[in-house]
Amino acid sequence: MLTVAAMLAVIVAAAPSAAPKTFSRDVWPILKTRCVNCHQAGEIAPMAFTSYKQTRPWAAAIREAVLSRKMPPWHAAPNAAHAFRNDRSLSNAEIQTIAAWAESGAPEGDPLPAYTPPPRQQGWVLGSPDKVVGIPGFPVPKTGPLPYSFLIVPLHFEHDTWVRAAEFRIEHRAVIHHINAFIRSPGSSFLAGFPIGPIFVPTVAERGKTREGERLFDRRQLLLGYEPGYFPMPWLEDGAKLIPAGSDLVFEMHYNPNGTEVTDHSELALYFAKAPPAERVVAIDTLRDLDLQIPPRDRDYHSKATMTLARPARLLSIQPHMHFRGKSMAIRAIYPDGTQSELLNVPKYDFLWQTTYVLKQPLELPAGTVLESVAGYDNSPDNPFNPDPNDTVKWGDQTFNEMHIAFLELVIEAKGDPDSLFQSQPKMIGTQTSGKH
Ligand code: HEC
């Protein structure tokens, strides 16, 4: 009779693929392409995985993080109906390789002469920009919270300008909640009368001010947002955003002090289209519920938002946005014929990762499509991030208030009118019954 050890030896010999996984041969190639862009000195992850010695103590944590799909950070439920271009998640085979390595003692194998991560991005990811606009030093104090702050920068474009891509280069990632860059057309009511040059803090009412009958896209449109998890990408092969002649850029900046005083000089690069594009990319923030009201200690509050497309468009990306009580968001399309399609499901929303989910293939949405987002919140004391479970929580800027927005990027023909997307003028922020500010 064979001993157990002898039986195992036979099995191992018979199945070379069951050879123990090693760091140098099996694990490093995965870390190198899927992890070290964040897990190296100077990047956002707190520990580096750029040598065997650095990685070995983390083997058990790495196994746990990949099996639970906590890492790499990617919060869309697997097997989505529509694939995402920027999907960071690991394949099952990659997960199994890492887990098997950790379970067999995390051996190095034959050491490589060096574990060299891909060269770090120097400068701009998207290449040499056509124009760069900078934040001229935002002083972030040690403690917060800080209000939304604004900066108006004139672009001095004499002609309508198509921008095929834009990129944020962020100086102090650790203290930035978000930065949005808006395009403000000449004559817009958006922050009209505020000075050009200095950074200022308007009230919520001042920010929401519009002119009677003013068209949404004449007032402002979102060019690009930065949040944790951001990665620069052009929008489309032959699509661009339009900056009308004479427009300003308006930066909306929300800094989150973390105990260290810094001055932030983040920058935004613009890349011009060489020829007029076939399609126009537009961003909207109107799939939102401004009237959400979460009762104290409610652990399963749901808020629903809908909007109906008045014209056909293609969906390019979705970005769910909530604050600390946000726990899930699901977005679906209800087509005019009554059929439905789930567009994105984030079952475990994580406020620290505000990912934009970019569809691999922009999705055709016919006129009359209803877009619906359902957001779940946990206002119970069991939510470890809950700032105050006894609060009735309403819409507001600060993370102790809440939000429910599904930011969408839509594609229409280049000469199309983006305001024709809306059946009726959407409700504006600042006009709802507001929460604490
Ligand atoms: C987009 C950036 C990013 C990528 C890619 C990434 N990580 Fe992380 N990782 C982080 C950050 C930031 C943290 C610390 C905050 C946190 O735990 O969410 C972290 C934390 C971790 C932790 C500690 C988890 C814990 O429970 O404390 C492990 C282990 C880890 N990462 C493993 C990996 C592995 C393995 C990969 C690749 C397969 C990977 N990460 C890819 C950014 C990243």
Side-chain angles (χ1 to χ4, degrees):
M1 212 166 85
L2 286 173
T3 62
V4 171
M7 271 165 66
L8 279 177
V10 169
I11 291 166
V12 169
S17 64
K21 302 291 182 197
T22 67
F23 183 81
S24 57
R25 189 186 55 220
D26 306 297
V27 173
W28 171 246
I30 303 173
L31 301 187
K32 186 174 167 177
T33 50
R34 314 303 295 273
C35 316
V36 302
N37 55 326
C38 294
H39 285 274
Q40 65 177 293
E43 284 301 338
I44 59 175
M47 66 298 250
F49 296 150
T50 43
S51 70
Y52 175 67
K53 223 175 124 207
Q54 284 169 320
T55 314
R56 176 65 188 86
W58 289 96
I62 288 173
R63 173 184 173 276
E64 175 63 31
V66 299
L67 282 175
S68 65
R69 292 185 175 270
K70 183 176 181 227
M71 284 287 149
W74 180 258
H75 300 90
N79 308 319
H82 308 280
F84 298 103
R85 189 177 0 147
N86 55 333
D87 192 341
R88 268 195 292 250
S89 58
L90 298 182
S91 68
N92 286 333
E94 288 172 318
I95 294 173
Q96 289 316 319
T97 297
I98 291 177
W101 167 71
E103 284 155 17
S104 61
E108 181 171 17
D110 298 331
L112 295 185
Y115 296 99
T116 315
R120 261 182 86 189
Q121 201 60 52
Q122 298 290 326
W124 299 98
V125 174
L126 301 179
S128 165
D130 295 305
K131 186 170 177 75
V132 176
V133 182
I135 292 167
F138 187 100
V140 185
K142 275 199 176 128
T143 55
L146 295 183
Y148 280 24
S149 305
F150 289 79
L151 170 71
I152 304 173
V153 183
L155 286 171
H156 304 298
F157 289 168
E158 290 177 11
H159 306 283
D160 289 357
T161 303
W162 289 101
V163 176
R164 66 177 168 84
E167 175 177 344
F168 269 114
R169 185 157 68 183
I170 296 298
E171 190 182 30
H172 291 289
R173 289 177 191 274
V175 295
I176 298 181
H177 171 272
H178 77 257
I179 303 179
N180 283 329
F182 292 101
I183 301 164
R184 180 177 81 162
S185 307
S188 159
S189 68
F190 178 46
L191 300 175
F194 278 93
I196 293 199
I199 291 167
F200 58 91
V201 179
T203 64
V204 173
E206 285 169 331
R207 280 165 36 198
K209 231 172 169 171
T210 56
R211 195 176 304 119
E212 187 66 36
E214 184 177 30
R215 291 155 55 83
L216 217 66
F217 278 81
D218 291 344
R219 182 172 178 271
R220 71 170 203 196
Q221 45 172 320
L222 181 68
L223 174 68
L224 190 67
Y226 166 82
E227 303 83 18
Y230 163 82
F231 187 79
M233 260 183 300
W235 294 294
L236 276 182
E237 191 80 2
D238 194 15
K241 292 194 177 178
L242 180 64
I243 303 185
S247 291
D248 301 319
L249 276 188
V250 179
F251 289 102
E252 173 190 281
M253 298 163 285
H254 192 193
Y255 288 91
N256 249 354
N258 72 347
T260 309
E261 220 173 273
V262 292
T263 302
D264 183 59
H265 302 86
S266 292
E267 292 179 305
L268 176 73
L270 302 180
Y271 298 85
F272 301 155
K274 300 287 172 275
E279 295 187 296
R280 176 166 176 185
V281 182
V282 295
I284 59 172
D285 63 355
T286 48
L287 184 55
R288 63 188 173 202
D289 176 15
L290 296 174
D291 299 315
L292 62 87
Q293 182 162 331
I294 312 172
R297 309 179 84 84
D298 191 335
R299 67 182 65 246
D300 197 21
Y301 176 82
H302 286 87
S303 145
K304 190 159 108 174
T306 58
M307 67 171 279
T308 304
L309 287 178
R311 51 151 296 150
R314 294 196 298 150
L315 177 67
L316 176 62
S317 75
I318 309 173
Q319 186 199 356
H321 181 72
M322 298 176 280
H323 293 165
F324 282 134
R325 293 169 178 95
K327 66 170 186 178
S328 65
M329 199 186 283
I331 294 113
R332 62 189 177 134
I334 304 155
Y335 297 112
D337 67 4
T339 57
Q340 301 190 1
S341 172
E342 184 172 81
L343 304 177
L344 173 67
N345 179 16
V346 175
K348 271 196 260 165
Y349 175 80
D350 183 339
F351 173 71
L352 297 175
W353 296 102
Q354 306 274 335
T355 305
T356 298
Y357 297 87
V358 183
L359 295 179
K360 217 169 215 166
Q361 289 295 331
L363 180 72
E364 301 286 347
L365 301 173
T369 300
V370 177
L371 295 166
E372 179 188 272
S373 62
V374 176
Y377 300 86
D378 180 357
N379 195 17
S380 78
D382 299 336
N383 172 357
F385 302 106
N386 194 345
D388 180 4
N390 295 315
D391 208 4
T392 299
V393 188
K394 297 182 184 179
W395 182 282
D397 288 352
Q398 296 296 343
T399 47
F400 53 77
N401 310 130
E402 265 307 334
M403 285 196 179
H404 166 185
I405 310 178
F407 290 98
L408 304 176
E409 277 175 317
L410 297 167
V411 184
I412 59 176
E413 66 281 3
K415 292 202 158 60
D417 170 13
D419 268 86
S420 67
L421 287 164
F422 307 104
Q423 265 189 342
S424 53
Q425 187 84 354
K427 198 166 171 179
M428 301 301 291
I429 294 172
T431 57
Q432 83 278 22
T433 34
S434 59
K436 272 198 244 169
H437 294 288

